[in-house]
Amino acid sequence: MGLPASPARHADLSIDVRDLSLVYPSSDGPVTALAHVDLQIRRGDFVSFIGPSGCGKTTLLRAIADLEQPTSGQLLVNGVTPRQARLRRDYGFVFQAPALYPWRTIARNVELPLEVFGMPRWERQQRSAHYLAQVNLAGFERKYPWQLSGGMQQRASIARALSFEPALLLMDEPFGALDEIVRDQLNEQLLQLWRSTGKTVVFVTHSISEAVFLSSRIVVMSPRPGRIIDVIDSDLPRERGFDVRETPQFIQLAQRVREGLRQASMLQ
Ligand code: ADP
Ligand code: MG
């Protein structure tokens, strides 16, 4: 079920995972976080990983980002190894917590990866102003992280991930710690950003409605060891507002996700 009905051409794939397993060594013995995962993600898709806590969502995202090494199987990111993709700066990563440096202004936090790459100062400033405006933080460039709300801090970390213009954005429960009203706003902004930039987004969540609202494809995972139990292609229009949540299509998609999660938990 992990494979699309008609296999996508290699060149169209942003991420290609084949029979991937990942075992963590631990003092209590090996922990199998992922078992035989197959997944193909096309360029331009918005893909969510949804599954219960501890099922391996973060592990899969970190393996794509070259932050964890698979034990077996194959993984390609934009046609190259995760390490090559990392060195090419093919993706931006947004963590669960904003992880901004408190002694740097918002603009200088966004500019940090650009400084590391040796980009000239004028260009860095232009980039940070542009991407802060894209996440609706124009005017906050000179503030410090602690002067901003949690939602604004997370928007700044999205601007930082966008600043070096990666084709792929990896996001690990970026809005998990925020209240529902702020999360709704950020979900709408993120969708807009996805539509206007054509980026590929891989988004981890454990909220069914967030996954269905945002995604063009939803990947449902089983409890540990994480396996893919369903891949759902959404038939919702790309252009969608919150009213879509009241439609029969949305409700059906949410039911299919819920049912997949329920059955997988009973098989444990
Ligand atoms: P999720 O993001 O879905 O909540 P994770 O990918 O963080 O799940 O973790 C999957 C499983 O692997 C969990 O059981 C977790 O305890 C275990 N795990 C994660 N990181 C490590 C590690 N560094 N060492 C040992 N076990 C780990
Ligand atoms: Mg996680």
Side-chain angles (χ1 to χ4, degrees):
M1 263 199 293
L3 294 168
S6 58
R9 284 192 315 123
H10 194 74
D12 297 332
L13 290 181
S14 173
I15 294 168
D16 190 2
V17 184
R18 309 259 169 186
D19 199 23
L20 186 110
S21 298
L22 197 148
V23 182
Y24 289 111
S26 88
S27 51
D28 304 331
V31 176
T32 304
L34 298 170
H36 307 293
V37 171
D38 278 299
L39 179 65
Q40 282 72 47
I41 295 178
R42 295 173 298 239
R43 288 179 203 270
D45 257 340
F46 194 123
V47 175
S48 289
F49 297 163
I50 183 159
S53 181
C55 78
K57 304 181 294 297
T58 294
T59 302
L60 184 52
L61 205 65
R62 288 175 60 87
I64 293 167
D66 194 39
L67 299 169
E68 300 292 348
Q69 299 310 312
T71 310
S72 62
Q74 272 193 335
L75 174 50
L76 292 178
V77 180
N78 290 336
V80 298
T81 64
R83 182 181 142 76
Q84 288 168 320
R86 176 169 59 78
L87 295 175
R88 278 197 331 207
R89 296 150 201 159
D90 274 3
Y91 60 83
F93 202 106
V94 180
F95 295 91
Q96 217 162 341
L100 300 169
Y101 290 103
W103 59 86
R104 283 183 162 242
T105 61
I106 292 302
R108 294 208 58 227
N109 266 286
V110 173
E111 287 170 35
L112 184 60
L114 308 177
E115 277 177 44
V116 175
F117 304 156
M119 186 181 278
R121 187 185 157 95
W122 66 268
E123 202 178 350
R124 289 196 317 253
Q125 287 176 342
Q126 219 173 38
R127 287 275 189 102
S128 70
H130 174 75
Y131 285 103
L132 282 170
Q134 272 214 340
V135 298
N136 294 332
L137 282 178
F140 292 89
E141 291 85 355
R142 287 160 184 271
K143 300 281 185 202
Y144 286 88
W146 44 269
Q147 294 176 298
L148 268 56
S149 69
M152 292 163 93
Q153 289 182 28
Q154 203 51 298
R155 267 148 51 194
S157 59
I158 294 170
R160 180 179 54 190
L162 293 171
S163 69
F164 52 97
E165 303 185 337
L168 175 62
L169 198 55
L170 305 174
M171 308 181 85
D172 191 1
E173 303 203 39
F175 310 139
L178 305 172
D179 67 59
E180 211 176 322
I181 297 165
V182 175
R183 179 194 278 227
D184 273 0
Q185 280 171 356
L186 294 187
N187 278 347
E188 252 187 329
Q189 286 177 7
L190 180 60
L191 261 187
Q192 233 162 31
L193 196 83
W194 171 62
R195 281 197 303 263
S196 64
T197 59
K199 290 191 190 297
T200 312
V201 181
V202 184
F203 187 96
V204 168
T205 180
H206 56 242
S207 157
I208 295 176
S209 70
E210 187 172 57
V212 176
F213 179 65
L214 291 173
S215 313
S216 59
R217 301 184 92 196
I218 304 157
V219 174
V220 184
M221 294 177 67
S222 70
R224 190 165 70 81
R227 283 160 294 123
I228 291 177
I229 48 177
D230 199 5
V231 177
I232 305 170
D233 276 307
S234 172
D235 51 359
L236 298 176
R238 277 171 97 97
E239 193 82 39
R240 54 183 90 150
F242 280 132
D243 42 357
V244 83
R245 294 190 289 198
E246 318 297 331
T247 63
Q249 284 153 296
F250 185 99
I251 293 163
Q252 258 172 25
L253 284 165
Q255 268 170 354
R256 179 160 160 196
V257 175
R258 192 172 295 112
E259 187 56 22
L261 292 170
R262 198 179 66 85
Q263 285 189 3
S265 70
M266 290 192 320
L267 291 174
Q268 285 301 293

